[in-house]
Amino acid sequence: MSVDMNFFLQFYNFLIKMILLISLILFSCSETEPIYYESPISNTTFTFMQDQNTVYFSANFEDEYQSEKLDSTFVRWYGPDISGDFDVIVLNDSGVNGDIIAGDNIFSRKIQNSSLARNPITDLDTSFLFADFTAVYGDAKFIGLLDSAKIGNLIPKIINIFADTLIVRPEGRNINLIKVKAMVTDGDGNETIKWVGFTSFSLRDNEMMNNGNMIYLYDDGNTEILYPPDFTSGDSAKGDGIYTFKIPIYGDGFGTEPLDDTTRTGSFRWRFSVQDMANDYSQTVDHVIIIQ
């Protein structure tokens, strides 16, 4: 190989290396580091207060984002379906409508669950629920932060009470058995219900009856002996969510009320409640009866 050819090859290799080096330098100089902006939304919260049937939304919003001032805040509430329609809940930092402290940059809202037109929370909503907390900065810069959570334990509910409003006390030493029923349900399954019962309060005498103890109802299909020799609940069907008990009404021949077994007359408030296995309680339901 000639000297000229060797020189040409060496020069060519040198030229290629220089081109690669210059390209690498130019590429490195032209590449810019990505800029990551921290979200101006934090501490998102939504809570379903089952005993009040209200939903509470709250989040912290920064006053300014990318040199734009905060204009407004709201929540897109999707319920269990993130791809479905949503309710819009406007938040505020004015110390009203569920907001606790005005001007602390924590924007909140408490609303009735029934006012959620598209996605009210029901007993079927045992999976994740979705809320998109959104801020508007400047004229039209929308910043969102999606949050999701489960409700947790669903509290039991009393659907209906089946009981007389007027009971006539029998005469002499007779006893009448009056059935009292409560239809109840639990979104986590009726098998999670621990007990159903009620207390009795004399409105005339301003006094708790039965020493203030709960009178329990049963969903046992009338198969369990509750008191000897053979006293049962009177329940019609086991496991149907209707709890029953037969209340004995003693006639006026058992002694002078209120010192003996004779059932007291007057108006009484029966207050029903349910407890589940998670030790959560239903809302109470009152039923007023008159015994005469």
Side-chain angles (χ1 to χ4, degrees), residues 250-261:
Y250 293 88
D252 57 12
F254 287 90
T256 303
E257 64 168 281
L259 302 177
D260 217 316
D261 290 335

Side-chain angles (χ1 to χ4, degrees), residues 45-62:
T45 300
F46 70 86
T47 305
F48 180 35
M49 291 167 280
Q50 300 179 61
D51 56 338
Q52 303 174 29
N53 198 33
T54 58
V55 188
Y56 174 75
F57 299 91
S58 175
N60 187 285
F61 293 84
E62 297 294 332

